[in-house]
Amino acid sequence: MKTNIKTRLIAIIAVLVVFVFGIFRVPHGVSGQALKQAILQNIHLGLDLKGGMHLILQVKVDEAISSQTDTDVSGIQGDLQRNGIAGATVSKPDANRPDFIQVSGVPADHANDVRSLLESSYSNRFDVGPGVANSWTLTMKPSVENDAKQRALDQAIEVIQSRTNTLGVSEPIIEPYQLGSYQILVELPGVDDLNRVTDIIQSTARLEAHEVTGGPWPDKQTALQSIGGYLPPDSVLLQSVPGASASGNVGEWYELKKIPVWGGTDIRDAQPGHNPNTGEPEVDFYLTNAAGDKFAAWTGANIGKDMAIVLDNRVQEVAVIKGQIRDQGNISGGGISEQRTKDLSMLLRSGALPASIEIMQETTVGPSLGADSIHQGVIASIVGMVTVMVFMLIYYRGAGINADLALFLNLVILLGFLGYSGATLTLPGIAGVILTIGMGVDSNVLIFERIREEMRAGKSPSASVDQGFAHAWTTIVDTHVTTIVSAAILFIFGTGPVKGFAVTLTFGLLANLFTAVFVSRVIFDANLSRKLHGEPISI
């Protein structure tokens, strides 16, 4: 019996050491400040405790649909030309319908050819049907459109995660928000430069090369007049940044081919650098092999023509193609700063957003408010735990020491869980810790009251302890399992702070099953082993 108790005590001490190590690891000293720093390094604090930024972002998924159908428009036009069907034009006539394409001006003798072409190549993604006046319409299928919107959301989350990781934000929360709304929840604890982070998150960082078909013009109105007042469906008018062209004029307008020669997904790498001639900061970018081959073929066939480098719908640079260019270029001029080159390089490396993003909600939490929350939460936890411990000592006498030791070990295991798992502790999470203390007391009360009933029935202390734990076990497991299931639902469907509550509550309940049943029983058995047979226990 004593050997069995000794083995179980060693197991409890080992568990205690393991989870204490999870809380502190190897602190740099034994002073209060050193231990505090060790705890904060291992237990990550959430936004409401550490301070930072809370954002709700809206992904404009219709832009991703429009970009995809722009590519389809170019593809259909090319297919028609390759099949010798002249005179037909492909366009998106309704600006509010990015999923709708119209093929108009189809020669009557080629109507069947156009129909066969569209149905064979595009019917898997579009509903193809005849329109009015020798035209055909393509409407993106709802399932395809929904899939494209979901991909845009997923890609936006991936890009934002990459950008925040590069910024060094610890424990960010980036996840979908409100199913079907195509919104993203972003929580960035510890962020101090809010404007810079907002700019970086919102920037689409879409770098493209376009063929220049007209310009420059001093303003948009002049540009439209110069091209007959009508912008062709395969063209786009964009304004330049200062210094984009050799003229040095500010804010000139250019007509560009809408479909780029290469786009943001074709960029392999980007690094900040300096112009070897002027020493000014610049961004050097490199294309993928496939994009480089395509770019080399295009520039080789268009020597003498103008090419524009476009970033986020602004012309950054316009130059004459003097020779074949393969896979390297740079962005410079316009008074670009050192910090801007670093940020832009990071954005290009992390990839372009599939669509622009709008900030729907922005909330900032100052570090002082977070410090106050921590202080008040810790005080509440200490007061609650001390009050419960005093009550258990008064009401259950010697057995109260048993309960208090189990509660202390419960708290150590819970904090150790947080340290090992990397879970984020939030203000509701502190509430979960306090609730765990209450659940731990409840378990001990169930066991102790059952032991008292057995003793009042005339059973020996040893038999009373055996029956008390045996009968209370089922009730304890039932209450803990149902609460853990509720916490799991909160974790699955809740946001950051609510998830923090669910995590600490779940860890605390699992720890409580160990301490209230196993640890408490070992302490009772150790106490009984030192008493004479039939000698009463203090409870």
Side-chain angles (χ1 to χ4, degrees):
M1 177 68 177
K2 290 186 177 180
T3 303
N4 187 26
I5 293 174
K6 184 177 180 180
T7 302
R8 288 186 288 170
L9 282 173
I10 292 174
I12 293 172
I13 293 172
V15 169
L16 179 62
V17 170
V18 168
F19 284 104
V20 167
F21 180 77
I23 298 172
F24 297 100
R25 301 296 169 92
V26 181
H28 301 291
V30 292
S31 64
Q33 186 63 29
L35 295 177
K36 178 182 177 181
Q37 285 298 115
I39 294 174
L40 292 178
Q41 286 178 357
N42 297 310
I43 299 178
H44 305 291
L45 302 181
L47 178 71
D48 49 1
L49 298 180
K50 194 175 183 179
M53 177 185 289
H54 169 95
L55 299 170
I56 302 295
L57 308 177
Q58 178 69 61
V59 181
K60 297 182 179 180
V61 291
D62 283 345
E63 291 183 6
I65 300 297
S66 182
S67 177
Q68 183 170 322
T69 50
D70 282 343
T71 303
D72 291 322
V73 166
S74 178
I76 295 171
Q77 192 76 62
D79 290 341
L80 293 175
Q81 293 174 357
R82 282 188 290 272
N83 284 273
I85 304 173
T89 58
V90 187
S91 63
K92 297 194 297 183
D94 190 348
N96 297 320
R97 290 282 308 276
D99 60 333
F100 182 76
I101 299 174
Q102 184 178 58
V103 182
S104 57
V106 177
D109 57 337
H110 285 293
N112 290 332
D113 296 335
V114 172
R115 176 180 179 178
S116 298
L117 171 64
L118 296 178
E119 289 183 347
S120 62
S121 301
Y122 297 93
S123 60
N124 60 328
R125 294 186 295 113
F126 292 90
D127 292 323
V128 180
V132 297
N134 296 328
S135 67
W136 292 87
T137 61
L138 296 89
T139 306
M140 186 175 286
K141 293 181 178 180
S143 59
V144 175
E145 184 175 355
N146 291 334
D147 289 345
K149 289 180 177 179
Q150 185 61 45
R151 282 197 305 273
L153 176 67
D154 294 340
Q155 185 181 345
I157 291 175
E158 182 179 345
V159 170
I160 293 173
Q161 285 176 335
S162 177
R163 292 178 181 179
T164 53
N165 290 339
T166 306
L167 287 171
V169 180
S170 62
E171 302 301 318
I173 296 175
I174 304 167
E175 58 190 23
Y177 182 75
Q178 291 189 351
L179 185 64
S181 66
Y182 303 107
Q183 295 180 349
I184 303 174
L185 167 68
V186 178
E187 291 189 350
L188 306 175
V191 169
D192 52 4
D193 193 347
L194 304 183
N195 291 331
R196 177 173 175 242
V197 171
T198 302
D199 290 341
I200 287 175
I201 288 177
Q202 280 190 288
S203 175
T204 56
R206 187 177 293 112
L207 184 66
E208 300 169 335
H210 291 255
E211 179 183 346
V212 178
T213 55
W217 297 287
D219 54 64
K220 189 174 184 180
Q221 186 63 34
T222 303
L224 287 172
Q225 291 175 355
S226 299
I227 58 178
Y230 173 73
L231 184 66
D234 63 342
S235 296
V236 62
L237 278 177
L238 294 179
Q239 191 178 21
S240 66
V241 299
S245 65
S247 67
N249 294 330
V250 177
E252 294 178 318
W253 288 80
Y254 291 86
E255 180 188 2
L256 312 177
K257 284 287 188 183
K258 179 180 287 187
I259 304 301
V261 181
W262 51 259
T265 56
D266 295 321
I267 295 176
R268 171 170 51 88
D269 190 20
Q271 296 293 336
H274 292 86
N275 188 299
N277 297 322
T278 65
E280 293 180 348
E282 67 177 18
V283 176
D284 299 318
F285 61 87
Y286 307 87
L287 303 179
T288 62
N289 291 334
D293 293 340
K294 179 181 177 182
F295 194 39
W298 183 83
T299 52
N302 290 274
I303 293 175
K305 294 183 178 180
D306 287 343
M307 177 187 68
I309 299 296
V310 177
L311 176 65
D312 290 344
N313 293 322
R314 292 292 299 274
V315 176
Q316 302 291 315
E317 190 171 353
V318 177
V320 178
I321 302 172
K322 296 181 179 179
Q324 193 177 64
I325 307 171
R326 180 166 295 277
D327 62 352
Q328 184 175 354
N330 60 70
I331 304 171
S332 61
I336 189 170
S337 65
E338 292 276 1
Q339 184 61 58
R340 176 59 179 161
T341 60
K342 294 178 182 178
D343 289 346
L344 183 54
S345 299
M346 180 270 291
L347 292 173
L348 296 177
R349 287 195 303 272
S350 65
L353 287 171
S356 60
I357 285 178
E358 180 183 358
I359 296 179
M360 305 296 293
Q361 179 182 331
E362 177 180 350
T363 305
T364 57
V365 178
S368 60
L369 180 59
D372 291 340
S373 299
I374 295 174
H375 178 73
Q376 294 173 4
V378 170
I379 292 298
S381 301
I382 293 174
V383 170
M385 192 165 186
V386 170
T387 302
V388 167
M389 285 182 168
V390 171
F391 169 80
M392 296 298 286
L393 287 173
I394 294 174
Y395 193 74
Y396 290 107
R397 300 187 291 277
I401 299 175
N402 184 329
D404 291 348
L405 289 174
L407 282 176
F408 175 76
L409 183 56
N410 189 6
L411 183 61
V412 171
I413 292 175
L414 171 56
L415 295 178
F417 262 130
L418 293 175
Y420 280 121
S421 66
T424 301
L425 180 64
T426 62
L427 187 58
I430 294 179
V433 173
I434 298 173
L435 180 57
T436 297
I437 294 172
M439 294 288 288
V441 173
D442 179 66
S443 300
N444 282 284
V445 168
L446 286 173
I447 295 170
F448 293 174
E449 289 301 320
R450 187 68 191 191
I451 293 174
R452 281 182 169 183
E453 288 182 11
E454 299 296 334
M455 293 180 66
R456 283 194 291 267
K459 294 182 180 180
S460 66
S462 179
S464 297
V465 170
D466 287 337
Q467 292 299 312
F469 277 94
H471 287 92
W473 165 249
T474 303
T475 303
I476 292 172
V477 170
D478 285 345
T479 56
H480 281 62
V481 168
T482 53
T483 308
I484 289 174
V485 169
S486 300
I489 294 173
L490 290 176
F491 183 83
I492 294 171
F493 296 103
T495 56
V498 176
K499 284 186 175 182
F501 172 78
V503 167
T504 54
L505 181 59
T506 301
F507 283 163
L509 292 174
L510 292 174
N512 188 53
L513 284 174
F514 172 74
T515 57
V517 177
F518 182 78
V519 175
S520 184
R521 178 62 188 269
V522 170
I523 296 174
F524 267 114
D525 288 345
N527 187 30
L528 287 169
S529 67
R530 295 197 304 269
K531 294 181 178 294
L532 298 174
H533 181 70
E535 185 179 350
I537 57 176
S538 176
I539 188 171

